[in-house]
């Protein structure tokens, strides 16, 4: 476990990545640092984070959380390169909207959709801020590996609730917080970080810096409840077939057999 208060563990996949440093959270520097990371790196480093994948080892094809989206209005929070929008466009959603903090990601997403004969309304803004989205408008709001970047989880969930119609559905995925505490070392799973520690850190990934914090599961659950959502389903199982199709002897696959690496929540606005 960390002894130096300045040093923090950051785990991606099976092991520790980059050298993470504790920081005081300042919204503007988080926006600046993270939008610049996504402008430069896009989704390249982090991998399996577009629908039908919710993240490593969890897929919409198995979980079927959305059901039939044809004729429905959908908003994606943190749309990245637009492939998840494409997934819903091809399933005949009537309207696609998206918010992302990175201008470059939005440019990529718009181009990608155009090349697929689809389109969406794009807004470049932090998800935490007022950005002109309509209230009581959407049937679904969803987010694939983007919600955790918010600097204000409760405020973001309150905004998302305001965009949804009554009984509208909110689905999001993120790294499971237990996965962010445990690394594989010498064929053993080792607790490297305190589960309760939600403080912010900055980390260099592939020579570019990101700022984030790892929140407890209860922080997500309680923030949903405060924003007026009821949780209908939560997924934290790693799919055996998906583990097998990767390299089932890899450290990451071994880890995924023992603990959840991705979680997905489906909630409904009351
Ligand atoms: C891992 S990617 C999501 C990938 C996306 N699911 C896809 O289908 O391509 C995370 C995205 O969240 C965006 N993001 C990060 N912080 C954000 C914030 N505060 N508000 C809105 N978007 C943010 C990034 O620019 C990035 O495009």
């Amino acid at each position: 476990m960390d002894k130096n208060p300045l040093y923090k563990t950051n785990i991606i996949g099976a092991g520790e990545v980059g050298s993470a440093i504790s920081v005081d959270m300042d919204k503007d520097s988080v926006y600046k640092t993270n939008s610049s990371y996504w402008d430069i790196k896009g989704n390249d480093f982090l991998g399996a984070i577009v629908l039908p994948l919710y993240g490593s080892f969890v897929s919409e094809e198995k979980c079927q959380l959305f059901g039939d989206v044809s004729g429905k209005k959908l908003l994606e929070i943190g749309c990245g390169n637009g492939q998840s929008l494409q997934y819903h466009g091809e399933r005949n959603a009537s309207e696609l909207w998206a918010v992302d903090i990175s201008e470059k990601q939005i440019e990529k997403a718009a181009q990608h959709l155009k090349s697929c004969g689809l389109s969406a309304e794009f807004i470049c803004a932090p998800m935490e801020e007022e950005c002109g989205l309509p209230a009581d408008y959407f049937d679904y709001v969803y987010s694939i590996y983007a919600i955790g970047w918010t600097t204000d989880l409760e405020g973001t969930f309150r905004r998302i609730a305001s965009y949804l119609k009554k009984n509208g559905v909110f689905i999001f995925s993120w790294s499971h917080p237990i996965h962010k505490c445990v690394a594989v070392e010498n064929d053993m799973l080792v607790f490297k970080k305190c589960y309760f520690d939600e403080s912010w850190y900055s980390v260099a990934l592939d020579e570019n810096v990101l700022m984030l914090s790892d929140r407890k599961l209860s922080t997500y659950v309680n923030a949903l409840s405060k924003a007026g959502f009821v949780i209908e389903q939560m997924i934290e199982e790693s799919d055996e077939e998906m583990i097998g199709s990767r390299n089932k002897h890899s450290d990451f696959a071994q880890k995924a057999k023992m603990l959840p690496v991705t979680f997905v929540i489906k909630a409904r606005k009351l």
Side-chain angles (χ1 to χ4, degrees):
M1 206 76 71
D2 308 339
K3 296 221 168 48
N4 181 345
L6 284 180
Y7 171 81
K8 303 256 298 178
T9 299
N10 183 43
I11 288 166
I12 296 182
E16 221 173 316
V17 176
S19 54
I21 313 272
S22 291
V23 291
D24 290 328
M25 200 277 282
D26 163 66
K27 255 188 181 193
D28 292 331
S29 36
V30 174
Y31 293 164
K32 199 165 159 232
T33 307
N34 289 354
S35 59
S36 146
Y37 177 91
W38 294 104
D39 276 350
I40 296 167
K41 301 304 295 180
N43 293 4
D44 300 348
F45 190 83
L46 292 171
I49 40 178
V50 296
L51 285 174
L53 293 182
Y54 281 108
S56 296
F57 312 120
V58 185
S59 133
E60 167 63 6
E61 276 153 9
K62 276 267 168 75
C63 300
Q64 296 288 309
L65 298 179
F66 278 91
D68 183 6
V69 297
S70 58
K72 304 292 187 194
K73 295 174 185 163
L74 275 75
L75 165 65
E76 179 166 4
I77 305 291
C79 66
N81 61 21
Q83 290 182 45
S84 301
L85 292 166
Q86 175 198 356
Y87 182 82
H88 289 304
E90 288 172 348
R91 280 156 188 77
N92 303 316
S94 65
E95 286 183 33
L96 296 171
W97 292 58
V99 177
D100 199 288
I101 200 170
S102 154
E103 275 176 30
K104 285 278 183 278
Q105 290 282 71
I106 285 191
E107 264 171 38
K108 271 193 213 163
Q111 269 169 14
H112 178 68
L113 286 195
K114 198 171 165 204
S115 72
C116 302
L118 296 165
S119 64
E121 290 285 332
F122 288 102
I123 297 177
C124 186
M127 64 181 98
E128 304 86 320
E129 304 291 343
E130 158 57 40
C131 62
L133 280 162
D136 301 315
Y137 188 78
F138 294 97
D139 300 290
Y140 293 84
V141 177
Y142 70 97
S143 183
I144 313 301
Y145 256 79
I147 283 295
W149 298 113
T150 184
T151 55
D152 173 10
L153 192 68
E154 287 186 9
T156 300
F157 284 173
R158 270 198 306 276
R159 285 199 189 282
I160 289 171
S162 76
Y163 307 143
L164 279 166
K165 295 173 181 169
K166 187 172 163 45
N167 291 320
V169 168
F170 174 36
I171 296 173
F172 73 94
S173 66
W174 187 248
S175 299
H176 198 291
I178 277 290
H179 153 55
K180 297 294 290 180
C181 296
V182 176
V184 180
E185 279 183 7
N186 305 322
D187 285 336
M188 293 201 335
L189 293 179
V190 181
F191 242 87
K192 301 283 287 186
K193 178 174 168 279
C194 173
Y195 177 78
F196 305 113
D197 179 2
E198 298 190 323
S199 61
W200 280 75
Y201 58 94
S202 86
V203 62
L205 284 187
D206 214 13
E207 291 171 9
N208 289 92
V209 175
L210 278 165
M211 291 167 88
L212 74 160
S213 86
D214 301 325
R215 299 175 173 97
K216 305 186 297 287
L217 221 39
S218 55
T219 302
Y220 288 96
V221 169
N222 293 330
L224 283 169
S225 169
K226 268 195 187 166
F229 287 103
V230 61
I231 295 177
E232 289 197 340
Q233 203 172 338
M234 176 167 166
I235 312 276
E236 53 176 7
E237 290 77 17
S238 302
D239 183 277
E240 281 290 334
E241 259 177 60
M242 290 173 78
I243 292 178
S245 67
R246 195 179 168 112
N247 165 4
K248 63 181 173 202
H249 301 298
S250 73
D251 282 350
F252 192 28
Q254 293 304 321
K255 177 176 168 182
K257 279 187 190 163
M258 300 297 284
L259 55 81
V261 298
T262 301
F263 76 96
V264 190
I265 289 185
K266 176 178 180 181
R268 196 172 289 276
K269 173 180 169 175
L270 291 176

